[in-house]
Amino acid sequence: MATRLVEVQKLKKWFPIKGGVFSTTVASVRAVDEVSFFIDQGETLSLVGESGSGKTTTGRTMLKLLQPTSGKIIYKGKDISKLTPNQMRPLRRNMQIMFQDPYGSLNPRMPVGDIIREPLDVHSIGTRKERQQAVATMMETVGLRPEYERRYPHEFSGGQRQRIGVARAIIINPELLVLDEPISALDVSIQSQIINLLQELQQRLNLTYLFIAHDLAVVRHMSDRVAVMYLGKIVETADNDELFDHPFHPYTQALLSAVPVPDPDVKRERIILQGDVPSPINPPSGCHFRTRCPYAMPICKEQEPAMIEVAPGHTVACHLLTRK
Amino acid sequence: MSPFETEVQLAGSGPESYFSMVIRRLLKHKLAVISLGILISILIFCFVVPLFFKYEPTYSDFSYLYGSPNSRYLFGTDNLGHDTFTRLMYGGRISLIVGFSAAILPIIFGIIVGAFAGYYGGVLDNILMRITDAFLSVPSFPIYMALAKVMGQGVINIILVFSFLGWMVDARLVRGMFLSLKENEYAEAAKAIGVSNLRIMFRHLLPNAMAPILVSVTLTVGGAILSEAGLSFLGLGVPSSTPTWGNMLTNAQQDIFIAPRLVIWPGIMIFITVLSFNFLGDGLRDAMDPRLKL
């Protein structure tokens, strides 16, 4: 059995909204609301869901870039959710993140060699010369010419910048890499290059990925397991094939039915959801999805559905299960 | 397949340091180059030429008061028979030293205050900014005058007084820059790597805030030279026996109708110096932004 690298238990991240004369908390944005999942060593867990469902916040809170409101983050058997920023610093070697925006995530005033070398500097790894050598090797690994190390980020294309982002994230040999929509800002032709690079690196370096995305075709290609998020909650988790072949939750079904099939003759039934995602400041009672669910029942309004395992490794939170 | 499958040829020549890039780009900026040339000439004029010149600034030729320019006194003499040309050089020394020091000290202090306030936010920001507001609401000129009286006249005191009352605008500027810069993803990326807050502030954010800071510095140099002239004009700056461009203006005011050139020469020096600093600031700002095509 694979070893569990990280497990998140009932993770909550609420952003307070301050207001009034004395800046008291008048409401909260429930970006992540009691989310639980785990990732085994060497696997890729994908987190999918529409914009605003809390995927990115989940990823960042897991790395403690945001302080969780409550819940546990167990990394290799140790709860890191309460650690201070200083206590977290040595652990940051093991968990890295790659960002969505290839333009915003690189400091425009730093040559790319310095950007890639910085993790080594910060964690005092190797001598000056060794670091220089490591940067050159790493640039080659991700498909960049080492001669370009004195150049500035704006001199590179979007795809190349994402390669710089990858190089910076993996130069200190992390175990866990959060990929925060790493390809959604790129051209389709460049997307596949980055995906291939990430898969190749995963194999070579035995990396564990939390892949945050909304492109389901890429998710199917990349992941071992998939978790579907809606309005701050995970509604369904399953192995890759199981989820795509037997989606259970009405939201997952709607999401999957939106994936285009490259064959004009295939007749498909599209499930079109009505309305918009409700506000995370004031989510619906009971099941968060009930306002848009085609199968909503009275109980959905009163009670929050529990996570139920419908098949090995396939869990769903829906009242349709308990009624049968 | 080549390992560099996505490679596109990048423009420009080989690698270069940030410093040489700034210089190269600055040299493309005509107005800045001209200004830089003028400023270097002024520096040479004030600090090097006097070494080879015959008169002391205190030398008086009582037989030639209000003298017109001639071969001995290139710009003529003033009411005490001082050689105007010599005094312009020595006066420039003080004016430039005051200008530079009174720009550098407050910007350093302003950067520190603004960086902490903007980066950490919250209570610290509130405290620091309320102190800044308090300083800003003090009418500065009467305070200059009072402090100059209390601390006495002198070059060092002038610099200290300007620094004491000159950092607030810089602090606000830097705070504003940091407030927006810290939201950048590269700041979060640095945090994810484990970079300390101080290093994020001064190695990642500060270089990105340098352009407006630099412009502010060059404007302050000009402003400080003007303020020194103003204070000296009121008799509160540098003692009137020491020549500065401001003092020369003061001494010349009663003679403005007899010998207008005594006003014009220091006035022109101040004008050209301040203007050159402003142009140089513009050029530097553009040169320091690698994203900007020149």
Side-chain angles (χ1 to χ4, degrees):
Chain A
M1 184 176 160
T3 44
R4 190 140 305 177
L5 186 67
V6 63
E7 181 163 5
V8 168
Q9 291 173 355
K10 297 203 164 190
L11 188 71
K12 236 190 229 184
K13 178 65 196 175
W14 290 15
F15 295 99
I17 300 171
K18 306 266 188 201
V21 184
F22 299 106
S23 292
T24 45
T25 302
V26 290
S28 292
V29 178
R30 305 178 184 191
V32 180
D33 203 0
E34 303 216 337
V35 159
S36 303
F37 61 88
F38 65 88
I39 313 174
D40 285 335
Q41 189 110 41
E43 76 169 353
T44 301
L45 172 70
S46 288
L47 211 51
V48 300
E50 59 199 293
S51 303
S53 58
K55 314 179 293 280
T56 295
T57 311
T58 305
R60 293 188 184 187
T61 313
M62 189 178 87
L63 293 184
K64 295 264 292 170
L65 292 173
L66 298 167
Q67 186 60 32
T69 309
S70 71
K72 284 183 175 169
I73 306 156
I74 296 162
Y75 181 79
K76 285 187 158 177
K78 192 177 152 206
D79 183 11
I80 61 166
S81 63
K82 301 266 184 317
L83 296 185
T84 63
N86 279 332
Q87 291 170 315
M88 271 307 290
R89 198 155 292 134
L91 281 170
R92 299 229 174 267
R93 275 186 73 164
N94 303 325
M95 40 183 89
Q96 279 299 312
I97 180 165
M98 182 184 162
F99 291 93
Q100 172 180 13
D101 179 5
Y103 295 87
S105 58
L106 305 174
N107 187 342
R109 297 295 171 95
M110 256 190 179
V112 299
D114 289 3
I115 291 176
I116 297 172
R117 201 186 60 233
E118 184 159 44
L120 300 179
D121 292 343
V122 167
H123 294 281
S124 317
I125 299 166
T127 61
R128 212 185 158 76
K129 221 171 178 174
E130 284 165 358
R131 287 178 203 168
Q132 216 51 55
Q133 186 54 46
V135 169
T137 316
M138 186 48 67
M139 286 183 78
E140 230 164 304
T141 307
V142 298
L144 293 167
R145 278 188 187 277
E147 300 93 273
Y148 290 162
E149 64 155 347
R150 298 310 306 163
R151 293 183 182 271
Y152 289 87
H154 72 275
E155 297 175 81
F156 294 86
S157 67
Q160 287 176 314
R161 288 172 187 223
Q162 285 304 64
R163 288 170 190 266
I164 298 166
V166 176
R168 169 176 62 186
I170 64 174
I171 195 162
I172 36 174
N173 282 320
E175 293 170 298
L176 176 65
L177 187 55
V178 173
L179 306 167
D180 187 4
E181 308 204 22
I183 54 161
S184 46
L186 303 175
D187 284 351
V188 178
S189 57
I190 310 292
Q191 284 184 355
S192 58
Q193 293 174 356
I194 297 294
I195 288 298
N196 289 341
L197 174 69
L198 288 171
Q199 285 193 310
E200 189 196 311
L201 291 171
Q202 180 171 37
Q203 295 232 314
R204 182 135 51 109
L205 305 169
N206 191 27
L207 290 165
T208 306
Y209 286 160
L210 175 66
F211 183 66
I212 298 168
H214 48 229
D215 183 338
L216 291 168
V218 177
V219 166
R220 176 148 212 191
H221 179 70
M222 279 281 285
S223 19
D224 297 305
R225 288 188 307 118
V226 183
V228 182
M229 266 189 101
Y230 182 79
L231 209 61
K233 287 189 181 294
I234 289 185
V235 295
E236 185 163 9
T237 315
D239 286 348
N240 196 5
D241 290 340
E242 168 81 8
L243 188 100
F244 281 91
D245 296 343
H246 308 289
F248 190 91
H249 199 283
Y251 179 64
T252 315
Q253 290 172 355
L255 210 56
L256 293 187
S257 82
V259 179
V261 177
D263 180 351
D265 296 334
V266 173
K267 285 274 178 288
R268 292 184 310 141
E269 210 179 312
R270 286 274 276 116
I271 305 169
I272 311 248
L273 293 176
Q274 298 298 314
D276 285 326
V277 187
S279 161
I281 299 170
N282 189 14
S285 64
C287 175
H288 282 184
F289 185 57
R290 69 169 165 83
T291 51
R292 302 169 76 194
C293 181
Y295 312 107
M297 304 172 293
I299 188 175
C300 302
K301 195 170 182 174
E302 288 146 23
Q303 219 180 326
E304 199 183 311
M307 268 286 182
I308 293 169
E309 191 161 32
V310 292
H314 187 170
T315 54
V316 182
C318 182
H319 284 303
L320 288 172
L321 281 167
T322 42
R323 207 182 52 158
K324 277 172 193 166
Chain B
M1 207 187 301
S2 135
F4 308 117
E5 56 194 273
T6 61
E7 189 196 337
V8 278
Q9 196 51 51
L10 298 176
S13 51
E16 61 178 344
S17 73
Y18 184 65
F19 185 71
S20 62
M21 182 201 77
V22 170
I23 297 295
R24 177 174 59 78
R25 290 164 58 98
L26 185 66
L27 294 179
K28 286 188 192 166
H29 200 289
K30 283 196 192 73
L31 221 47
V33 173
I34 294 170
S35 302
L36 192 64
I38 291 174
L39 286 174
I40 291 173
S41 315
I42 290 175
L43 280 176
I44 292 173
F45 174 68
C46 293
F47 289 92
V48 182
V49 176
L51 302 177
F52 307 103
F53 215 68
K54 50 191 169 184
Y55 301 120
E56 287 296 308
T58 48
Y59 166 82
S60 291
D61 184 348
F62 288 109
S63 65
Y64 200 63
L65 307 180
Y66 299 117
S68 309
N70 60 18
S71 59
R72 282 183 62 202
Y73 306 112
L74 285 177
F75 287 0
T77 60
D78 64 8
N79 57 341
L80 294 172
H82 296 134
D83 177 30
T84 305
F85 191 72
T86 310
R87 281 178 84 85
L88 273 181
M89 296 189 289
Y90 283 91
R93 288 185 176 185
I94 307 288
S95 290
L96 288 172
I97 289 172
V98 169
F100 269 112
S101 319
I104 301 296
L105 287 181
I107 197 70
I108 291 174
F109 194 58
I111 284 174
I112 294 171
V113 171
F116 276 89
Y119 186 76
Y120 285 103
V123 182
L124 185 67
D125 181 28
N126 250 317
I127 294 172
L128 289 175
M129 280 304 111
R130 292 304 79 76
I131 294 173
T132 309
D133 288 345
F135 268 85
L136 269 176
S137 43
V138 170
S140 57
F141 222 79
I143 296 287
Y144 282 149
M145 293 162 68
L147 282 174
K149 263 280 180 274
V150 171
M151 296 166 68
Q153 295 185 335
V155 177
I156 304 281
N157 288 351
I158 279 277
I159 293 170
L160 289 179
V161 167
F162 283 172
S163 306
F164 185 63
L165 287 173
W167 56 271
M168 297 84 71
V169 176
D170 296 327
R172 281 195 159 182
L173 173 82
V174 175
R175 170 182 176 266
M177 294 295 298
F178 269 57
L179 272 182
S180 73
L181 286 173
K182 72 172 177 183
E183 300 299 332
N184 274 313
E185 256 185 358
Y186 59 81
E188 193 165 18
K191 209 172 142 193
I193 288 167
V195 181
S196 65
N197 287 326
L198 275 180
R199 191 176 153 116
I200 294 180
M201 283 159 72
F202 292 109
R203 196 167 142 75
H204 286 263
L205 302 187
L206 189 57
N208 284 287
M210 253 356 248
I213 290 174
L214 220 90
V215 174
S216 169
V217 168
T218 51
L219 290 175
T220 315
V221 172
I225 291 175
L226 289 177
S227 300
E228 184 272 320
L231 274 191
S232 299
F233 186 81
L234 294 175
L236 294 162
V238 181
S240 58
S241 54
T242 315
T244 72
W245 290 339
N247 271 339
M248 294 174 73
L249 278 178
T250 317
N251 297 337
Q253 61 172 319
Q254 65 252 32
D255 307 325
I256 191 162
F257 295 113
I258 307 169
R261 63 169 184 285
L262 293 180
V263 179
I264 290 171
W265 285 121
I268 283 181
M269 291 305 285
I270 293 172
F271 176 75
I272 289 179
T273 310
V274 173
L275 196 65
S276 300
F277 269 115
N278 290 355
F279 285 144
L280 182 64
D282 283 350
L284 268 181
R285 179 192 52 203
D286 295 345
M288 288 177 74
D289 187 348
R291 285 164 298 186
L292 207 66
K293 288 253 187 311
L294 287 180

